[in-house]
Amino acid sequence: MPSNRILLDTGVLLIFVVGFVIPELIRHHKKLKAFDAADFSLLEEIVSDAAVVATTPQCWAEVSKQLEYGVPASWRSGLRQAMKSRIEQAKEHPIASRTCVNDPVYFALGLTDAGLLKCLDASTTLLTIDSMLFEYALSYGGNAENFHHRREARGLT
């Protein structure tokens, strides 16, 4: 990655939180069927290379909403604790919703992704599983990496 700060989107964050509990849980989570423990290991490698791991409150809100989707009740406490731990470790960039909705990209990508694009600068690389967000980040001149490309390079797809 060309920068020392990594900005994680909602999909990557969800893998990051669920895998933190037990990586094998990833493949059992209804929102993460395409991923598994090997993807979490790859993500951990990528994140460990960054000096700063960052995201936005909007991403955390989406992760919170998706975290327990379709999982057994016995997992919920552990998932909440893992999210708490990850929030405490990450740098959070507060982006006012008003700022996001007044950017034209809001109409194409929505509130959360518009906020992520507002966080990009020369020292930040966006890591995403969303190909549309990835393309917009590149078109805005930002540093971005599609996690699926890393997975392909590692032979995980």
Side-chain angles (χ1 to χ4, degrees), residues 1 4 6 8 16 40-53 86 127 150:
M1 290 202 165
N4 59 1
I6 187 168
L8 304 179
F16 199 50
F40 176 71
S41 294
L42 174 59
L43 180 56
E44 286 276 270
E45 286 176 34
I46 295 167
V47 167
S48 71
D49 288 340
V52 176
V53 177
R86 293 299 193 180
L127 182 64
R150 283 282 190 110

Side-chain angles (χ1 to χ4, degrees), residues 3-19:
S3 66
N4 59 1
R5 192 168 79 122
I6 187 168
L7 181 66
L8 304 179
D9 83 342
T10 301
V12 174
L13 273 176
L14 191 58
I15 296 167
F16 199 50
V17 172
V18 173

Side-chain angles (χ1 to χ4, degrees), residues 2 7 13 16 27 29 33 62 71 78 84 96 106 124 150:
L7 181 66
L13 273 176
F16 199 50
R27 70 173 182 245
H29 191 284
K33 294 278 188 206
E62 285 193 20
V71 300
K84 178 183 184 295
Y106 161 75
T124 304
R150 283 282 190 110

Side-chain angles (χ1 to χ4, degrees), residues 65-98:
K65 184 177 178 179
Q66 297 175 18
L67 189 62
E68 299 172 7
Y69 180 76
V71 300
S74 60
W75 294 6
R76 293 180 183 158
S77 179
L79 289 169
R80 286 185 195 129
Q81 184 58 44
M83 183 170 167
K84 178 183 184 295
S85 177
R86 293 299 193 180
I87 287 172
E88 290 170 344
Q89 295 169 3
K91 169 117 175 89
E92 191 171 58
H93 291 281
I95 301 293
S97 296
R98 180 173 301 191

Side-chain angles (χ1 to χ4, degrees), residues 51 63 67 136:
V63 168
L67 189 62
Y136 267 89

